[in-house]
Amino acid sequence: LISYFFIFLLLSNRMRDLQKDLKIGNREEIKTLILLNASDTMFGELEQDEDPFANFDFVSEDKKYHIEHKWRPDINLKTCRYDSLYFDRVKYKRFIELKKEDPEKRCFIIWNCSGDRVWWEFKKYGWENEDGEVEMYFSKQYNQDRGKGYPQDTDMCNVFMEALHPFSDFFKIEII
């Protein structure tokens, strides 16, 4: 009986606190939204989607721009050992649907990694950019927590670090 109790304690300490994670993620989304709306960007005014599990967290008022926000506090972009950052493939599938509805729509992902924000734009050519350079690849991640508090097998999209852009690119800066 005692050993079962210790196993339960060990597992419960390792299990993710979903409500806490959602609260922190929402707080970080709001910070990024405030930054984007506080300056003159190509998006105009952005609104946060009311659905916390929406494929894209922010949508422009004219519905032309859709932005997903990913908070990765454990990744330091300056010392990162990974070749890519990832997102759930269902977001890519949603991008394809949005492009079919309106070919002028544009979709982005912003990663907030240890305070450094970078972005990537979904490509109409799929995993290649206009120059034919590969920017992303598909993968399968096992035991990925997809917001339900337990591990699941998930199809992912990985974007190479070289394809990411600095967050400051979004801001229209006048040089006087």
Side-chain angles (χ1 to χ4, degrees):
L1 181 65
I2 292 175
S3 62
Y4 286 118
F5 176 72
F6 285 115
I7 290 171
F8 171 76
L9 281 177
L10 178 65
L11 289 175
S12 63
N13 284 337
R14 288 186 171 189
M15 289 182 69
R16 183 174 158 201
D17 184 342
L18 181 60
Q19 293 306 314
K20 180 181 174 188
D21 287 351
L22 287 172
K23 186 176 179 179
I24 292 169
N26 188 54
R27 181 187 71 214
E28 295 302 319
E29 283 177 17
I30 290 170
K31 286 180 184 178
T32 299
L33 181 63
I34 289 169
L35 282 172
L36 287 169
N37 282 338
S39 298
D40 187 20
T41 66
M42 64 183 178
F43 308 120
E45 192 71 18
L46 293 167
E47 300 169 352
Q48 187 176 26
D49 197 302
E50 293 176 10
D51 178 0
F53 300 106
N55 285 307
F56 294 96
D57 299 309
F58 314 134
V59 180
S60 62
E61 286 182 324
D62 63 5
K63 308 293 188 227
K64 293 287 184 189
Y65 298 101
H66 298 260
I67 302 171
E68 170 66 2
H69 177 268
K70 292 289 176 200
W71 184 58
R72 300 287 182 257
D74 55 332
I75 296 176
N76 182 328
L77 294 172
K78 293 171 184 66
T79 60
C80 186
R81 61 186 172 94
Y82 304 112
D83 71 342
S84 61
L85 295 178
Y86 63 86
F87 62 94
D88 194 327
R89 190 168 179 175
V90 298
K91 295 174 189 321
Y92 183 80
K93 291 176 182 176
R94 179 65 181 136
F95 159 70
I96 298 299
E97 292 170 6
L98 289 168
K99 288 299 268 188
K100 284 180 184 173
E101 291 172 17
D102 179 356
E104 298 301 314
K105 287 191 181 205
R106 294 174 68 187
C107 299
F108 299 83
I109 292 191
I110 295 173
W111 284 273
N112 182 352
C113 303
S114 294
D116 288 327
R117 290 178 178 87
V118 292
W119 64 272
W120 179 76
E121 183 174 0
F122 287 77
K123 303 296 190 265
K124 63 182 175 183
Y125 303 105
W127 52 88
E128 294 180 349
N129 63 23
E130 293 80 2
D131 298 326
E133 298 165 333
V134 174
E135 289 194 356
M136 69 169 232
Y137 61 95
F138 299 112
S139 67
K140 171 80 89 182
Q141 294 214 357
Y142 301 96
N143 299 319
Q144 181 73 19
D145 186 336
R146 298 183 58 224
K148 298 197 186 281
Y150 57 87
Q152 303 171 62
D153 294 345
T154 306
D155 291 324
M156 306 299 287
C157 296
N158 299 67
V159 178
F160 288 111
M161 293 293 195
E162 296 81 24
L164 302 175
H165 305 279
F167 186 70
S168 59
D169 286 359
F170 284 136
F171 304 99
K172 300 174 186 173
I173 301 171
E174 279 189 39
I175 300 175
I176 300 175

